[in-house]
Amino acid sequence: DFSSLLDRLGARTRHAGGRFTAFIDPAPNNQTVWTAAGLTDLTLLDFDPAYCMNSEAEILFPEAPGVTQIEHVGIHIAIHGTVAYGVRVEAIGPRLADDISIDLLSRMLVDLQQDSSAILNDILTENQRRMINVAYRGDASTRPKYLVLFADKVEPMVPAKEYVDHGDNENELKQVLGEVW
């Protein structure tokens, strides 16, 4: 069904990518279509029909009043079903990349996990969405996701055992990593 995904994304055409939504038009014969906000603008970067596709998605989901969010997410989808997302965080709110608190980072990661699910839902074919629902017994939102974080530095710079202190350092890490041992 990887071939169907490539066809949906227009991989073999001159104008690959586009704006996608999981919304099904109830009146496809009308000359206009109305959708609620929440499209995914996808640019197909490259693909190999026997292995994978790489793309960049701009998330166009509505945000709370006063929140400006510019998210470009790299997406790698392998033919066997593995999906990997990549994001470079340059700023969160007024804080630049070299001064992002764990609190802000953890909120952004929760938002990114939700948005990445919505992106995948938008670009998959209906048949692929059905297969995911069958694989996860009707609860595709529970499929496992793993986060890998890279950072140039962590402050305070202390030995690892001091981050497992049953105090503030450990609580900060738990917001992003979950349980720490």
Side-chain angles (χ1 to χ4, degrees):
D1 221 32
F2 188 68
S3 181
S4 298
L5 175 63
L6 292 177
D7 290 344
R8 176 168 165 76
L9 300 178
R12 296 174 182 96
T13 67
R14 289 181 3 174
H15 302 288
R19 291 193 171 178
F20 297 89
T21 180
F23 174 77
I24 297 174
D25 187 1
N29 293 328
N30 290 352
Q31 293 180 358
T32 58
V33 64
W34 178 89
T35 63
L39 296 174
T40 297
D41 189 7
L42 187 116
T43 303
L44 190 66
L45 301 175
D46 66 354
F47 72 97
D48 179 339
Y51 180 64
C52 69
M53 60 141 290
N54 296 305
S55 60
E56 180 180 28
E58 180 179 0
I59 299 171
L60 304 173
F61 301 128
E63 295 298 333
V67 174
T68 301
Q69 183 169 321
I70 302 169
E71 282 187 67
H72 291 267
V73 180
I75 305 169
H76 170 87
I77 301 177
I79 194 166
H80 54 75
T82 300
V83 180
Y85 299 93
V87 177
R88 179 184 178 98
V89 179
E90 295 179 355
I92 300 177
R95 314 276 295 272
L96 296 178
D98 63 348
D99 187 33
I100 295 175
S101 71
I102 293 288
D103 290 336
L104 290 174
L105 184 62
S106 65
R107 286 187 218 135
M108 189 271 313
L109 291 172
V110 167
D111 190 42
L112 182 62
Q113 280 199 314
Q114 293 168 346
D115 288 352
S116 64
S117 293
I119 290 170
L120 195 60
N121 192 49
D122 283 350
I123 65 175
L124 291 179
T125 65
E126 183 62 29
N127 188 45
Q128 289 166 329
R129 282 192 293 275
R130 264 189 250 121
M131 289 188 320
I132 288 173
N133 275 327
V134 167
Y136 292 98
R137 298 183 179 157
D139 196 7
S141 64
T142 63
R143 64 185 180 267
K145 290 187 175 185
Y146 304 96
L147 293 172
V148 178
L149 303 173
F150 296 96
D152 292 331
K153 64 180 179 175
V154 177
E155 291 182 14
M157 183 64 87
V158 295
K161 67 180 178 181
E162 290 185 33
Y163 281 106
V164 188
D165 62 354
H166 302 293
D168 291 342
N169 288 339
E170 186 171 336
N171 288 334
E172 289 284 314
L173 286 179
K174 282 182 179 180
Q175 291 182 49
V176 175
L177 303 175
E179 198 59 43
V180 179
W181 290 281

